[in-house]
Amino acid sequence: MKEMKVFVTRQIPGDHLEKLKEAGHEVAISQFDRPLSEEELVEKVKGTDAILSLLTDRIDGDLMDAVGSQLKIISSYAVGFDNVDIKAATDRGIMVTNTPCDEVNEAVAEHTWALILALSRRIVEADEATRRGGFKGWEPDIFLGINLTGKTLGIAGLGRIGLMVARRAKGYNMTVLYNKHSQDPEAERELGVKFASFEELLAASDIVSLHVPLTDETRNMFRKDVISKMKKGSYLVNTARGACVNEHDLVEALRSGHLAGAALDVFSNEPNIDPELIGMENVILTPHIASATKEARDKMGEMAVDALLDVFSGKKPQNIVNEEVWPNRRKW
């Protein structure tokens, strides 16, 4: 096997990168514990055969050209791949892989439920007030939340994560509505979920949870005219992609009382967050950690490295995003 040069844009958890070194490949890892600037990234990737990137790295055609014609694979340590120009990679014969797995799906589904529970029972507000000395003894009407039992959960996007979220809703005896491009009879039989038009889901759901990829169709999906159709006093939870929600319009709906609260793990312009969201007590904000479990991160590292090892040995990687590139991939 020929020795390949790999650049890793940021240190990742676990020891899976050692497998590349043990296989005789040259591995360079960014020394910075932060995303690289565009200029830094261009400088570091020149002459490499492979890039192991994170979702914070913007990889377009210009960057691919800057690397050189020997670049064969971009292994993305992420499930989503909207940060990589897939068409540009395909046009150049470069493979792109990602790391979807049950460990990640379970982590995101569990985090979604952590947010739903914290939001509905005002856990963060109550914790902060208690720490400030606000607990003066039991009172009958402080931090009143809502019971989830008997409420309606609306799931926008019933993919693998959405299904796991729906499965957990059964334990709360919730009605679960879902919307996607086509109905899922199997999920309806197994989980008792009900298909609804997008507008029906918005109007009927006490909690709406987003589980859609970022596409031209879903970008700005929850904007003023859409949010206005949500049930008054309902909650919005987003663990998908920040750009799916118009944060300015969300702030307006929260300020007016049309929405009772929101929980966001992702933001439109990460790491920058709308200051008004930060100042709202009925909003829970987490720093893009829905998949941040030891199990998920370890599996992501394993998959990202295995994709590189497969390509270096002439095998087709399992999680290739642009599968059509395989017959026309760059060879060595």
Side-chain angles (χ1 to χ4, degrees), residues 129-177:
T130 303
R131 292 175 188 275
R132 291 195 304 266
F135 181 50
K136 307 302 181 184
W138 184 87
E139 297 180 52
D141 59 355
I142 58 169
F143 298 112
L144 295 179
I146 62 167
N147 283 354
L148 293 177
T149 300
K151 298 296 191 301
T152 297
L153 172 65
I155 299 177
L158 196 72
R160 287 169 294 195
I161 295 171
L163 283 168
M164 291 179 178
V165 171
R167 187 168 287 112
R168 286 158 174 76
K170 291 181 67 176
Y172 290 93
N173 195 29
M174 298 183 79
T175 296
V176 179
L177 304 179

Side-chain angles (χ1 to χ4, degrees), residues 64-65 67-72 330:
M64 297 173 202
D65 292 339
V67 178
S69 59
Q70 77 293 328
L71 177 63
K72 299 165 186 67
R330 286 179 175 174

Side-chain angles (χ1 to χ4, degrees), residues 124-325:
V124 175
E125 288 178 77
D127 174 81
E128 290 179 348
T130 303
R131 292 175 188 275
R132 291 195 304 266
F135 181 50
K136 307 302 181 184
W138 184 87
E139 297 180 52
D141 59 355
I142 58 169
F143 298 112
L144 295 179
I146 62 167
N147 283 354
L148 293 177
T149 300
K151 298 296 191 301
T152 297
L153 172 65
I155 299 177
L158 196 72
R160 287 169 294 195
I161 295 171
L163 283 168
M164 291 179 178
V165 171
R167 187 168 287 112
R168 286 158 174 76
K170 291 181 67 176
Y172 290 93
N173 195 29
M174 298 183 79
T175 296
V176 179
L177 304 179
Y178 76 94
N179 178 262
K180 59 185 299 189
H181 286 301
S182 57
Q183 286 188 236
D184 189 336
E186 184 177 344
E188 292 174 9
R189 285 193 298 270
E190 178 191 353
L191 302 175
V193 297
K194 301 174 183 177
F195 179 82
S197 71
F198 190 45
E199 290 198 356
E200 290 171 339
L201 182 148
L202 295 174
S205 298
D206 298 289
I207 300 164
V208 175
S209 188
L210 276 63
H211 301 285
V212 295
L214 181 60
T215 64
D216 289 341
E217 182 183 2
T218 62
R219 188 179 297 276
N220 210 32
M221 181 181 184
F222 279 76
R223 56 193 180 275
K224 187 172 184 177
D225 62 314
V226 173
I227 296 173
S228 68
K229 295 174 183 176
M230 292 177 65
K231 183 177 182 180
K232 184 173 173 55
S234 60
Y235 300 87
L236 180 65
V237 177
N238 186 13
T239 55
R241 282 290 184 263
C244 295
V245 176
N246 183 305
E247 292 175 1
H248 174 76
D249 294 345
L250 175 61
V251 165
E252 283 193 358
L254 290 164
R255 192 190 296 123
S256 71
H258 181 70
L259 294 186
L264 310 173
D265 182 58
V266 287
F267 308 94
S268 297
N269 188 28
E270 296 181 11
N272 301 310
I273 303 173
D274 188 311
E276 291 197 66
L277 285 173
I278 293 175
M280 290 182 157
E281 292 184 349
N282 58 340
V283 174
I284 298 174
L285 308 171
T286 56
H288 206 143
I289 57 169
S291 65
T293 65
K294 294 178 181 178
E295 296 85 353
R297 292 285 192 260
D298 184 69
K299 186 65 176 179
M300 289 168 67
E302 177 186 340
M303 294 176 73
V305 168
D306 285 352
L308 296 176
L309 291 172
D310 282 347
V311 169
F312 295 163
S313 62
K315 297 178 186 175
K316 183 178 180 180
Q318 284 189 345
N319 295 308
I320 184 168
V321 173
N322 54 344
E323 193 160 349
E324 66 275 20
V325 82

